[in-house]
Amino acid sequence: MRTLKTLLIGGLVTASFASFSAAFADDWTYLECNTSAEAIGGGITRFRDAPAAVEKYNPQSGSWEDRCSGGFQCEVTSNMIVIQNEHFLQEINRLTASNYFTYKGSNTGWTGRCHVTDPPPPLQRQF
């Protein structure tokens, strides 16, 4: 009986810890992308598969901006992350880590690479 009670309590503690961990798990993947035109493609982007979301880090405010709003459309598949509007296209190939930017209607494109990184540290408060 003591063994059964120990197993039940251990199972409850384990299940509670698993629920707590899942509630605070970071399900985002963080990418640092560089291109031949830093002003266009540099910085840290994060994405998740389900529900699909793409955000870009704003280092001035220390906040994340939704890339899939304000006229932008995003698609996250197992192979690609695509962010576009009527003037702009960004493709990140999840298999090769290649990063491509272009302005639609022009022959100008910028290429680069992405790599998985850690989330940026929080901004330091100034007093």
Side-chain angles (χ1 to χ4, degrees):
M1 186 66 166
R2 182 178 288 181
T3 304
L4 180 59
K5 187 184 282 186
T6 303
L7 286 173
L8 287 173
I9 291 172
L12 288 174
V13 169
T14 302
S16 296
F17 180 74
S19 296
F20 179 81
S21 297
F24 292 96
D26 187 353
D27 60 348
W28 294 95
T29 299
Y30 296 84
L31 298 174
E32 185 167 5
C33 296
N34 298 302
T35 68
S36 53
E38 279 303 310
I40 296 170
I44 297 177
T45 299
R46 69 182 183 180
F47 73 93
R48 65 179 178 217
D49 291 305
V54 181
E55 297 181 345
K56 184 160 182 155
Y57 184 67
N58 181 333
Q60 285 77 31
S61 67
S63 62
W64 292 95
E65 299 171 352
D66 184 6
R67 294 298 308 270
C68 310
S69 64
F72 281 91
Q73 298 173 342
C74 296
E75 183 179 0
V76 178
T77 68
S78 60
N79 297 333
M80 297 289 289
I81 301 166
V82 179
I83 305 158
Q84 64 181 325
N85 67 10
E86 61 185 83
H87 305 288
F88 171 85
L89 170 70
Q90 177 183 10
E91 295 177 337
I92 301 170
N93 186 314
R94 293 176 67 176
L95 303 177
T96 64
S98 63
N99 185 23
Y100 180 74
F101 286 80
T102 188
Y103 287 110
K104 292 180 178 178
S106 76
N107 292 328
T108 306
W110 297 271
T111 59
R113 305 286 297 165
C114 296
H115 63 273
V116 175
T117 188
D118 294 323
L123 286 180
Q124 298 296 319
R125 300 276 184 220
Q126 304 263 334
F127 293 101

